[in-house]
Every structure is written in C-alpha cells, then in structure tokens.
Amino acid sequence: MTATDTDALEPVAAAARPGRTSTAAGLFAQPLAPMLTVLGVAVLVFAAISTARTADMIAALWAANGLAVAVWLRSGRGFGYDLAFGGLIAFGVLAGEFLAGNGPILSVGFTALNMLEIVLAVWLARRFAPTLNLATVAGACRFILCTAGVAPAVAGLAAGIFLLLTRGAPFLPTFQTWWFGHALGLAVIGSFFLALDMRAVRAMFNPWRAAETVLTFGLLIVICVTVYFVVDMPLGFVMVPVLIVIAARLRVIGVTAALVVISVLSLASLMMGAGPWHLVIGDLSKRAVLLQLTLLFGYLPILLVASLLEEHDRLSARARAGQLRAEKASAAKSRLLANVAHEIKSPIGGIIGIGDLWSTGQLGPITETQAEMAAMLVKTARQVEALSHDLLDVARAESGAVKVEMRPTDIPGILEDVRRTTAMRPEARMLSLKVICEGDGLVALADSQRLAQVIDNLATNAVKYGAAGGEVLFRAKRIYDGVRIEVSDKGPGLSPDKQAQLFEPFNRLGLERSAIEGHGIGLALAKRLVELQGGSIGVVSVAGEGATFWIELPAA
C-alpha cells in the first residue's frame, strides 16, 4: 500500500472516531478506500488461487483476508457500516474466485468460508483486542491469538468438511493448509496494514531513516534470495539477526513489512521447487505446512520483540515527561519556599528587636507579666526565624544551590563538639550524653560544617523525643568502605509505618498537637545534606525500644 492508499483510508478511519456517526452512507461518502480494498481483495484471491495452491483447492498463503480484516478494523463500525462493508468484501472475494476459474459452487462456498473467517476475526479483535495497538506486547498477542489463531481454525474446520463433502478431499491436509496459511496471512498482512499509518509513512521521508530502511531491507532481500533460491541447505535461521536489527531500528512497522517480504519470497521458492523445501520428504502440501510453521513460529515472534521495544519507548517518553513535570514543580516549590523564607526574615528581625527592648525595660517600665509576655514574644519570633532559615536551607538544597566543600573530617571531634552543644540545652540537663568511638582512623570525606548541622539536628530530635529514656549515645565506627555515625536514644521508638514517612518534609508523624516543638523539615533537610556529601542516612528502631539514626559517609 502506498502513501496515497493510506491517505485514502484516513477519511474512513475518521468516521469511526468518537463523536462521528459511522454508517453505510459514511462509507460511500468516501468511496476510494472501499473500492481499493475490494480491488485488493479480488487481486489477492486471484493471485493466491493461481500461484499458491498446495492441498487440492487450498492456498498456502492467503493474504486477502488479512487485508480485509485490517481495513475493516481501521475504518469503522455500526450495523449499517458493517453490513455494507461486509457485502463489498464478499463481492471482492467472489470476484477473485471467479477470475481464478472456480465454478459457481466452489466460488460461493469459498466466499462463504472466507466471510465466516473475516467476520469472526473482526468480532474477536473488537471483543478481545479493542485498542488494535500492536505497539504493546499485550495488544499484539491478543490480536494474533484472536484473529490468526481462533478465526482461521474455525473456518478451516468448516473448509475441511466442505471439501470432504463436495470433492472427497482428505480432511486433515485441507484443515492444516487452510489454518496455517490463513493464520499466516492474517498475522503478517493484517498486522502490517494495522501498523501502517501516516506517521510511519512521513518518517520515511527523513533521509537518514530512508537510507537505513533501504539498507536493512536490501540486506534482508539478499539473504532471502540466497537462502530460498541459491543454496539447498536449511539456512533460514540467518534471517533472525536481521529481523532483530529491524525490530530494534524500525520497530513494529519494519518487522511486519519484513515478514511480508520473507513470506512472499519463501512461498515463491516453494512453488518454484527451489531452496531447501525439496529436502522435505512428501508432497507439496507437506512442504507448505513446514513453510507455514517456520514463518509462524520461527519469524513471527520477532513481532513481539518489536512490540516490546515500542512499548518501552512509549513508557520511557512518558517517564521523561513526568520527570520533567516533577522537576518543574520542584523548582517552583523551591522558589516559593525561598521567597517565603526571605519575606519572613525581615519582619521577624524587627519583632525580635522590639521584643528585646520591651523585655529589658528600654521602652519604659514594665510589670512582671509584661516581661513574661515579651519573653514569650521573642521566643516565638525566634522559632519562626529558625523556621525561615530551615525553609531557606531546604529550598537551596533542593535547587542545588547548597555548595559542599569535601575534605577529610575528624568524626570524633565533631561528635564531641555536638555533644557539648547539646549538653548546654535546658531540656538535656537530666540526660546522659556519651560519645563512643570504635577504632582509629575515623576520618570521613565530608563538609564539616554541614555534617555538624546534620548531627546536631539528630541530637536535637533525640533529646526532644527520647528524653524519657535518660540517655543519648553518639557512636562512630569504621565500615567496609567508610565511616558510620550513629545517634541513639532510649525513647518510645518508631513503628515501621512511621519510619517510612520519617524523611518526608513537613511530616511530624501525628505529633503536630503535642507539646514537643518542631516543624517537620529537619530530617528532610538532613537527608538532602547527607546525600550532597555522597553519603546515606537512615534509622533503625523498634517501637518501645528507642531509635538509632545512622549516617554512612565515604572514608577519607
């Protein structure tokens, strides 16, 4: 089919789109497509009967039904449309039968059998493969099994009975040749015309793609001619690598076109008595069955490889688009956080200054109650200020604006500094804070300032949430290729569900209304800072037995 023929199918295909009425009138409003289809069916019927009969009256390759089914499925539906289109297809088959020299009884009988197969294939495809999408493995398998497996088997049984009663032909060879030959035509020709669309045709106008197509198909034709017409050895397996290359480069449309080429050339060699087929002991029908099985089970599965690759392409494109949207959303969120943080910092600084002046009496004499209110005001303002700094750090970390200076960092020294800072906090007065360093050479490649910020955050959480346990333990030890830092407490611990949500920003695990202060972004920031230093962070905890937060960094 040429690009002009494909263009002719577009108006008919448009009639089947949602929102358009698909009727017999719509079919004849654009008569070129059905006329070309009927003409193509008649020509293919005549060609198959005239050149490819192998089992009395049955042809080894029947392409007409594949063309009819593909165009019918792509054009439209509706009772009036199906009735009109089915009538045209029946006329084309009947005309081809008469042109090939069959008598009235055989022509009408074969027309009825072919229409049974075509109608059944169309119904099965609409029922079990409604998307007609060969670019997915599921779609390709459903179409091939329904149209090329079930439909020709049913029609083959009827054909075997019909020829047994009318001509005394043996049932099994008739059934086998019909089933395999028609299955081959439906699977190869039907898939080719279903895969053919304007995008594939337009892609051929790309010079590089056109050159690639010409080279690969030229190589395929040379190999087919050599295997089927020059040598007498069974070397059909050498075409499999070429088919795989075509599947990798040209996808479904390329593989279906290649299967058409292989089917035509192999059938031509069979009917001419050339190639490896004469090595098979038996009559022409047995050789035809071998050819059909070779094509169906040796080469047709490559179509599924092409479908898998095309499905992977589509999913990859969808994933890239989703990633791009997520990155844009994350960038917008980071800009919003940064703007909010900047907008908060300026007025909060003024509030803190006024609160300090008020609490120290520099704005005039104050009562004890007023002094407490001023201290509360300053404390709350400083919490908001700390939140703005955290928001700004999160925004910078997510946007990649945080720069880390990686250098050899003494881990025991940082742990001791954090322990001393933590011990000065009022809420840590009743806690035992210990540092345990296991072994020597506990030097990691890290940004000392950012690492101290992360460990201080973990220590703050251990003091706030694990104070009931009475102890916070800082531990450092060597691991296989780095240094592991642990901050442990003896608090209530974390359930597995809470551990899964632990590093999500603004998630306080249901403690929003508790007396423990926090904003739920410290651990999210800590995770990002550790990852920027090439490390990893996590938690080990059992409910009721405390929690151990760990950091692993590469050794210096």
Side-chain angles (χ1 to χ4, degrees):
M1 180 176 282
T2 64
T4 304
D5 299 334
T6 309
D7 288 335
L9 293 177
E10 291 298 315
V12 182
R17 294 171 186 150
R20 298 284 298 273
T21 302
S22 180
T23 62
L27 172 68
F28 294 103
Q30 298 288 343
L32 184 57
M35 288 175 59
L36 290 175
T37 303
V38 171
L39 179 61
V41 168
V43 170
L44 289 174
V45 169
F46 173 76
I49 295 176
S50 302
T51 62
R53 277 183 171 173
T54 60
D56 194 28
M57 306 298 294
I58 309 300
L61 175 62
W62 194 260
N65 291 5
L67 172 63
V69 169
V71 177
W72 197 338
L73 289 173
R74 289 189 57 169
S75 54
R77 64 173 62 195
F79 179 77
Y81 180 90
D82 288 343
L83 190 62
F85 196 86
L88 288 175
I89 296 299
F91 175 78
V93 175
L94 186 62
E97 296 283 346
F98 277 121
L99 288 173
N102 283 339
I105 296 178
L106 285 178
S107 296
V108 172
F110 280 131
T111 299
L113 292 170
N114 280 286
M115 288 308 300
L116 169 65
E117 178 177 290
I118 292 170
V119 171
L120 183 58
V122 169
W123 181 82
L124 288 172
R126 288 176 176 175
R127 177 66 177 83
F128 297 103
T131 61
L132 303 178
N133 186 8
L134 300 182
T136 66
V137 176
C141 288
R142 288 184 178 186
F143 176 78
I144 291 173
L145 289 175
C146 292
T147 60
V150 178
V154 174
L157 289 172
I161 296 173
F162 171 71
L163 289 179
L164 177 64
L165 296 178
T166 58
R167 297 177 58 85
F171 173 81
L172 185 58
T174 299
F175 168 69
Q176 286 180 335
T177 306
W178 179 292
W179 186 12
F180 298 146
H182 285 234
L184 186 61
L186 286 166
V188 173
I189 306 299
S191 298
F192 172 69
F193 282 106
L194 276 182
L196 187 64
D197 57 16
M198 288 306 301
R199 287 184 302 172
V201 173
R202 282 193 293 266
M204 292 297 104
F205 290 98
N206 182 293
W208 292 108
R209 177 53 62 89
E212 183 180 41
T213 303
V214 171
L215 287 175
T216 52
F217 273 83
L219 176 63
L220 178 67
I221 291 174
V222 169
I223 294 177
C224 284
V225 170
T226 302
V227 170
Y228 292 134
F229 294 94
V230 178
V231 300
D232 292 335
M233 294 182 292
L235 299 177
F237 61 88
V238 300
M239 285 181 284
V240 174
V242 182
L243 281 173
I244 293 176
V245 171
I246 292 175
R249 299 300 305 163
L250 304 178
R251 298 298 192 259
V252 172
I253 181 64
V255 171
T256 53
L259 291 175
V260 172
V261 171
I262 294 174
S263 300
V264 172
L265 292 178
S266 61
L267 180 63
S269 71
L270 173 70
M271 302 311 296
M272 295 171 60
W277 311 115
H278 71 281
L279 299 176
V280 179
I281 299 176
D283 56 16
L284 187 59
S285 63
K286 292 183 178 179
R287 297 173 185 174
V289 169
L290 177 62
L291 178 149
Q292 293 162 348
L293 292 176
T294 301
L295 294 176
L296 284 171
F297 296 101
Y299 303 141
L300 188 62
I302 305 297
L303 175 60
L304 301 182
V305 176
S307 299
L308 178 62
L309 293 174
E310 199 154 328
E311 185 174 11
H312 176 268
D313 292 342
R314 187 177 66 258
L315 294 176
S316 297
R318 189 181 302 172
R320 287 193 297 270
Q323 181 181 6
L324 182 61
R325 289 193 299 270
E327 289 175 352
K328 289 181 178 179
S330 179
K333 181 193 68 176
S334 298
R335 289 193 299 270
L336 176 63
L337 289 177
N339 292 335
V340 169
H342 280 296
E343 293 296 328
I344 289 175
K345 288 176 67 176
S346 298
I348 285 299
I351 293 173
I352 292 174
I354 294 173
D356 285 334
L357 293 175
W358 185 20
S359 64
T360 57
Q362 298 182 47
L363 299 180
I366 60 173
T367 64
E368 183 178 350
T369 302
Q370 290 174 333
E372 292 178 359
M373 294 179 62
M376 186 180 300
L377 175 66
V378 172
K379 179 181 179 182
T380 304
R382 291 196 182 280
Q383 290 176 352
V384 176
E385 184 183 39
L387 172 61
S388 68
H389 284 295
D390 287 344
L391 288 175
L392 192 57
D393 284 341
V394 169
R396 288 173 176 170
E398 290 188 347
S399 64
V402 173
K403 303 300 181 183
V404 293
E405 297 181 7
M406 306 295 287
R407 61 170 64 94
T409 301
D410 180 52
I411 300 302
I414 289 184
L415 292 182
E416 182 60 30
D417 290 342
V418 173
R419 186 198 69 80
R420 292 175 181 174
T421 303
T422 305
M424 297 172 61
R425 294 174 180 161
E427 59 269 27
R429 284 195 301 261
M430 304 301 294
L431 291 176
S432 171
L433 307 177
K434 296 181 181 179
V435 174
I436 299 177
C437 296
E438 301 177 358
D440 299 325
L442 298 175
V443 180
L445 190 63
D447 184 312
S448 57
Q449 181 181 355
R450 295 298 183 181
L451 179 58
Q453 180 182 353
V454 171
I455 298 174
D456 182 72
N457 181 284
L458 298 181
T460 301
N461 286 344
V463 169
K464 288 194 300 185
Y465 298 104
E471 182 183 56
V472 173
L473 182 65
F474 300 87
R475 185 190 301 272
K477 58 183 178 181
R478 288 296 301 266
I479 55 176
Y480 52 94
D481 61 349
V483 179
R484 181 182 176 98
I485 303 167
E486 296 178 353
V487 179
S488 305
D489 63 67
K490 302 297 183 180
L494 297 163
S495 66
D497 292 341
K498 289 185 177 181
Q499 292 179 41
Q501 308 170 41
L502 196 58
F503 295 96
E504 296 177 0
F506 306 104
N507 189 344
R508 296 201 60 206
L509 307 179
L511 298 176
E512 292 82 358
R513 299 183 180 275
S514 68
I516 301 176
E517 298 175 354
H519 307 293
I521 60 176
L523 288 178
L525 177 60
K527 183 176 187 295
R528 183 58 178 156
L529 291 177
V530 170
E531 290 173 348
L532 286 174
Q533 298 175 73
S536 57
I537 185 171
V539 63
V540 177
S541 180
V542 177
E545 299 182 12
T548 298
F549 285 84
W550 55 265
I551 302 169
E552 292 183 354
L553 294 168

